[in-house]
Amino acid sequence: MKRLMVEQDGSMLGHMLYIPKNMSAEMPLLVYLHGAGERGDKLEHVERHGVPYLIKNENAEIPAVVLCPQCPSQFVWNNIVTDVKLLIDKVAEDYGIKKDRICITGSSMGGYGTWEMGITYPNFFSAIAPVCGGGMQWRSEKLLNTPVKAYHGNKDDVVELVNSELMLKNIIAKGGTAELVVLDGFGHNDGIYEAYKNRDLMEWILKQRRTDFSPVKEVCSEYF
């Protein structure tokens, strides 16, 4: 895959962009959000874990344009969802990505960011796959019409499994369908590697297409 490093210029987040060798108009856009330790302005740090790690270090060939933004050091993904969305929109336009083929995943802090992006833009992504993440479970019902598959190690002592369980529990309780893949015996970093390397995450998320673009109400909007 062709690797592009785009430095932060004040108007757009710095990011890694990986372009497949056989680019076509039918390819999806896969967004990957990194963890807390990769924040800052050294773009090469983005490749320490997850999808970009596999591309760089294990020559993974992914049939998608892969966008890996870098979060500034003073923020977490949940603070800058608007900036991330603007970058996604620009890359999708630049590479002619179809609107039904934009998906998002992320690990640790990026797992939280994945949940938050999905909840903030609930009629946008074709699917979300948070890894070792969590979020405001009372808002997760906004994802009733979005395919969700979360991955989490049951030995994770950095972000405990219950954080994913609560998100899924609320979706299911509200009538939605979502899946949690529990990585038995895995902790935090090894669970992230396992999810992206040895599980069906990549195959599953890249085959999803969005069919329902209807607006989704914010939770508790009746009180606004």
Side-chain angles (χ1 to χ4, degrees):
M1 300 185 76
K2 183 179 180 182
R3 172 178 178 262
L4 304 175
M5 297 178 65
V6 183
E7 301 289 345
Q8 186 174 354
D9 64 3
S11 62
M12 196 69 66
L13 294 172
H15 55 281
M16 289 284 196
L17 197 61
Y18 304 90
I19 312 300
K21 293 177 181 177
N22 300 312
M23 178 65 188
S24 74
E26 286 299 313
M27 283 195 172
L29 172 61
L30 173 66
V31 182
Y32 172 77
L33 302 182
H34 62 69
E38 288 71 67
R39 289 175 292 175
D41 56 9
K42 296 179 180 178
L43 270 175
E44 62 272 17
H45 288 180
V46 171
E47 296 177 312
R48 287 173 172 169
H49 296 286
V51 177
Y53 174 88
L54 293 176
I55 294 174
K56 178 186 178 183
N57 296 287
E58 301 192 11
N59 298 314
E61 285 292 334
I62 298 172
V65 174
V66 181
L67 169 62
C68 305
Q70 186 173 40
C71 185
S73 58
Q74 70 270 35
F75 296 112
V76 297
W77 292 120
N78 293 42
N79 301 146
I80 57 170
V81 290
T82 303
D83 302 80
V84 176
K85 177 61 162 53
L86 287 172
L87 178 59
I88 293 171
D89 289 342
K90 183 179 186 303
V91 171
E93 181 179 1
D94 288 348
Y95 288 88
I97 305 295
K98 294 186 176 181
K99 292 183 178 180
D100 64 343
R101 304 219 65 195
I102 301 172
C103 52
I104 188 167
T105 184
S107 54
S108 195
M109 182 188 82
Y112 279 84
T114 298
W115 282 113
E116 188 64 25
M117 288 296 295
I119 290 169
T120 304
Y121 304 101
N123 66 345
F124 180 76
F125 294 103
S126 60
I128 74 167
V131 178
C132 305
M136 289 182 263
Q137 67 267 21
W138 56 275
R139 294 183 71 219
S140 66
E141 66 184 81
K142 293 182 69 180
L143 295 167
L144 296 185
N145 296 326
T146 298
V148 177
K149 197 167 188 177
Y151 298 74
H152 212 127
N154 63 1
K155 299 298 183 182
D156 193 332
D157 59 2
V158 177
V159 180
E160 294 184 359
L161 173 61
V162 66
N163 291 283
S164 286
E165 291 176 330
L166 288 171
M167 300 296 283
L168 274 291
K169 181 179 179 181
N170 191 53
I171 294 173
I172 294 168
K174 298 298 182 179
T177 57
E179 182 179 354
L180 174 59
V181 178
V182 177
L183 307 173
D184 188 36
F186 287 88
H188 192 66
N189 286 338
D190 61 335
I192 292 170
Y193 182 84
E194 173 70 11
Y196 288 111
K197 173 66 175 180
N198 299 318
R199 302 295 171 138
D200 68 342
L201 189 159
M202 300 303 298
E203 180 182 358
W204 175 82
I205 199 170
L206 294 178
K207 73 180 181 182
Q208 305 301 319
R209 287 180 179 266
R210 182 145 204 104
T211 58
D212 187 352
F213 294 89
S214 304
V216 178
K217 289 184 179 180
E218 178 56 72
V219 179
C220 299
S221 60
E222 63 271 24
Y223 300 116
F224 293 174

